[in-house]
Amino acid sequence: MFKKVILALCLTSAAGLAFRMPQADMLKKDTNLDIVFENNKKWVAEMTAEDPEIFSKFQAGQNPSILWIGCSDSRIPVDKLMGLDIGDIFVIRNVANQVISHDLSMMSVIQFAITALKIPHIIVCGHYECGGIKASTENVDHAPPLELWLRKIRDTYRLHRFELDAIEDPASRQRRLVEINVIESCIELYKTGVIQSVREGNAGVT
């Protein structure tokens, strides 16, 4: 049964989560992505060494307990962040972790997560030093489609402009907008039809 929507915020900044892997520079020069395929082989070998049946188990399907709605930022490793394993988290990401009612991808994921996978928990997670939040506060036309995507955050700023404009430090103002953006995304999530149906007991979720 669907239990709760968890409003979550990564209190550790994205910069603090940035693991500078030795392979990062090599990847940029690796036109065939040979490193990726080689690493995949190593990963498969390591996983099967720990549990020879691990991939066979996943062939039967998935049974995650958490739907994670987060930012596309590459510095946020979702499973490592929460210390969870493969199959525990159903993930969707976009710029600045926004829940927007006309985003068909987001709405489809939420519907599938709740009605098909019967996921009991949803986490909406933002992070400090978010590029999407920063871009939305700039007096710059970032051009479509990005500019259209940032419009929701600009509207959020307008709704909370008295609180945000009272914060003199730009970095602190952006950090507060990160927090408000998570709250607004949670509100939008509550307003979706599938969540309302579950709350009313009409979504067939057991």
Side-chain angles (χ1 to χ4, degrees), residues 6 16 25 27-28 36 44 47 57 80 95 99 104 113 115 118 142 151 162 171 173 178 185 193 203:
I6 302 175
D25 292 330
L27 275 173
K28 293 178 181 179
V36 172
V44 170
M47 296 298 293
K57 295 175 183 177
K80 293 181 180 179
V95 175
V99 177
L104 295 182
T115 61
K118 316 295 187 187
H142 295 283
R151 183 177 297 171
F162 295 115
R173 189 183 309 123
V178 165
S185 289

Side-chain angles (χ1 to χ4, degrees), residues 13-39:
S13 69
L17 290 171
F19 306 103
R20 186 58 178 174
M21 294 170 33
Q23 301 176 81
D25 292 330
M26 290 189 293
L27 275 173
K28 293 178 181 179
K29 302 174 183 178
D30 187 1
T31 56
N32 294 322
L33 293 179
D34 292 329
I35 294 174
V36 172
F37 292 108
E38 186 61 32
N39 284 349

Side-chain angles (χ1 to χ4, degrees), residues 151-163:
R151 183 177 297 171
K152 178 72 165 54
I153 306 175
R154 295 187 192 276
D155 287 342
T156 295
Y157 191 108
R158 176 177 54 80
L159 290 172
H160 300 270
R161 66 185 183 279
F162 295 115
E163 175 188 352

